[in-house]
Amino acid sequence: MKLESISITGNNSTQSGVGKSFLIISISLTILLNLSVAIWFFIYLQQNGLDKFLIK
C-alpha cells in the first residue's frame, strides 16, 4: 500500500482565514491577560511590598 502525501500549501489553505484570525485573537487575548496580571502584581507590590506577597 502506497501512502500519498497531503499538501496544505495550495490555494485551499488561503481561502479560509478562520485559522489566522483565531490565532491573532488568541495571541491578543493572551497578551492582554498577561499584561493585566503584571499590572496587578506591580500595583500590589507598591501597596503591600514584597514581604507580604511571599508567604513565610
Side-chain angles (χ1 to χ4, degrees):
M1 178 183 267
K2 188 176 182 183
L3 295 177
E4 297 180 10
S5 64
I6 299 172
S7 176
I8 60 168
T9 58
N11 290 335
N12 292 336
S13 64
T14 58
Q15 289 177 356
S16 175
V18 176
K20 187 175 183 181
S21 63
F22 177 75
L23 183 66
I24 291 172
I25 291 172
S26 63
I27 289 174
S28 301
L29 288 177
T30 303
I31 291 172
L32 183 67
L33 178 67
N34 288 338
L35 282 177
S36 64
V37 170
I39 290 171
W40 169 84
F41 181 71
F42 286 126
I43 291 174
Y44 185 87
L45 282 181
Q46 285 181 353
Q47 289 177 353
N48 298 322
L50 187 60
D51 293 335
K52 205 154 194 192
F53 182 76
L54 300 173
I55 301 173
K56 294 182 179 180

